Amino acid sequence: QVQLVESGGGLVQAGGSLRLSCTASVRIFSSYAMAWFRQAPGKEREFVAAINWSGGHTAYADSVKGRFTISRDNAKNTVYLHMNSLKPEDTAIYYCAADDLHKPGLYEYDYWGQGTQVTVSS
């Protein structure tokens, strides 16, 4: 069974930075593409960023381009989300997700973490 655990959320002032981490309890971390999603109060869950198995390809939502960076360390079974220039509208619960590359369906995520709260004050 795959388990994902997020950490690094918290309260930060607008303009500040946070780094989120997601550690996966899997044998071969490189078998998974990884992504971050978020859900803000009163909103549906939305895509934030994704990274392929090696870290060579990334994708971002328009709302975070230039401010957020997704990265991964396969030796540590960990994916990161570096968030800079945070805005109040970034306030949300952030979720880590994993796409098992042995299963069909690119961008169809098979496993999810419990989420970590990010709150940005104005």
Side-chain angles (χ1 to χ4, degrees):
Q1 183 177 4
V2 175
Q3 295 185 19
L4 307 176
V5 180
E6 302 98 332
S7 62
L11 176 64
V12 64
Q13 292 183 320
S17 300
L18 285 174
R19 187 185 75 169
L20 306 183
S21 299
C22 172
T23 299
S25 59
V26 296
R27 289 187 176 182
I28 307 176
F29 187 55
S30 60
S31 293
Y32 300 87
M34 303 296 295
W36 290 94
F37 292 78
R38 67 186 182 186
Q39 186 168 18
K43 301 290 186 179
E44 296 296 321
R45 185 178 63 194
E46 66 174 344
F47 169 79
V48 176
I51 190 165
N52 78 325
W53 70 273
S54 68
H57 297 276
T58 59
Y60 298 93
D62 288 342
S63 59
V64 306
K65 284 181 179 177
R67 299 189 298 119
F68 291 12
T69 302
I70 188 170
S71 62
R72 68 190 295 162
D73 186 341
N74 286 348
K76 297 181 178 180
N77 280 23
T78 300
V79 63
Y80 304 96
L81 186 67
H82 301 259
M83 304 184 294
N84 298 314
S85 301
L86 283 162
K87 305 174 181 179
E89 51 263 45
D90 294 318
T91 295
I93 300 174
Y94 284 71
Y95 297 92
C96 176
D99 177 5
D100 185 348
L101 300 178
H102 289 91
K103 297 181 178 180
L106 188 62
Y107 310 124
E108 296 182 4
Y109 293 92
D110 304 292
Y111 307 101
W112 296 81
Q114 82 290 345
T116 186
Q117 177 71 48
V118 172
T119 302
V120 184
S121 62
S122 59

